[in-house]
Amino acid sequence: MSRLLLALFCALVFSILFTFTSAATMVLALVAIVLALNIVRLPFLGLILFGFVATFIPYSTVNLGIRVTISEALLGLVWLGGFWQMMQGRLAWQFGKTEQRLRYLMFYSALPFLLGQLIMSGAEGNGPVNWVRWLLNLSPLLLFPILVDNGFRRDQLIVSLLLGSLVMLLLSVGMFLKDHDANTFIVVLEKLKYAHPEAVKDIFSANFSRMASPWVHPNLTGGVLVLFLPLAFFYALVQQGWRRLLGFSVVALGAAGLLFSSSRGAIVSLVLVLLWLTSFRVPYAGRVIGVALALGLALVLFYPPLQARLATTFSSSNASTEIRMDEYRRFPEAMARYPFGIGFKVDPPPPKTNLLGISNLWLNFIYKLGIPGMWLFIAVTLAWWRECRPQAKLSEMSPERGIWIGSGAGLLAALLTGLFDHYYSFTMVLIALFWLMMAINLQSARSLRQSQDPLLGDSPYRKTEA
């Protein structure tokens, strides 16, 4: 009966398309419908596609009544397929302590959402859509353990993430080396149907000497690179053949992209994580620091635009540094005016208030969700750290250890960027990749603990549950 209804529905849709659209539009619509139905039937396929699309063209959009990114549309279809299979008894929820605390954060966010709708009633913005999008972007932490139940599937997902990163870097670094001007990338993003072209032009015009990418802002580019570079490196170390080549290609291009984007927060965060890895005697961590310093110095010596950029990047008179100092000075005023945050209708700063935003991950949670929201986010990350932190020196590398240390180092670097910017709090698609990386790290740590690896020790919650 369900197959008959599906066939009738498809026949109706195809008839409408054939009647009211051109042949080219109809073909594209048919391909999209077939793909969507296959994702609903095989949700893991959709997760693989999400991994590639979200890292390659994160903000390419499609119009589904409302304009939405293809990445989020894929994620929504994956959830639709997951719910369908759970109703049939093929899949089931899998919750650990970290996943449970994320659910608390998601439930609590309903309060600042409702209050924000009242407080910001005169402002332009779609609070319900923004809230649902944010929840959807948190959900990969809950979705991953449902769909990825073995190492083979996890490897397929990691490959899709690295492939998307590689294509993004080939496009971005190639365009930058060819033109040395971020403005030439605007044409590429227009063809990819990026929204808000005026904002894109403003960003690229103000940062024309920094590398452009599908992540639009150079700081976002740096943020996503520090999330994936450690995983790519350690994944390559424990693999053979084309997988090793894939990982090291992402590392080489990603290191160049990180310098070309000149994201100082990302660069400092990655250096700090490398020093932390060295303290745990992680194989090759010290050598990576040495090679990175040598290559970075060579690039700076032979690339004058980068010299000029770095000369002002870490200066106290740098314009962005001055703006950040003003944000911190004015932030208590925003806390006092909005104790439960401003919700989801608008982003900081609120319009017509003369307040400033805040370039800090944790303080941005206060700005949007209030102090309870920040503490809940901290509770989630502490639960993750308690489960995944190393408890002994790492002297030998294995495939499982490589994924565990690579994904964990990427997460630490991403969190450290929160000291300099806020993009890992409410930036759509980017935060979905962050929570997906956390899910990969949790599964790897739990697998190592189950095999009684001395690096992880006993269950982190054994005493609590006793």
Side-chain angles (χ1 to χ4, degrees), residues 188-208:
V188 176
L189 298 188
E190 287 177 347
K191 292 180 179 179
L192 292 173
K193 304 297 182 184
Y194 268 49
H196 310 297
E198 299 83 6
V200 171
K201 290 178 182 178
D202 289 343
I203 291 171
F204 286 170
S205 298
N207 300 278
F208 70 93

Side-chain angles (χ1 to χ4, degrees), residues 317-339:
S317 61
N318 183 277
S320 62
T321 301
E322 294 176 356
I323 292 172
R324 280 168 169 77
M325 292 301 102
D326 286 339
E327 289 175 349
Y328 279 101
R329 282 191 289 267
R330 299 282 302 279
F331 184 69
E333 184 182 348
M335 287 181 60
R337 189 177 296 189
Y338 305 106

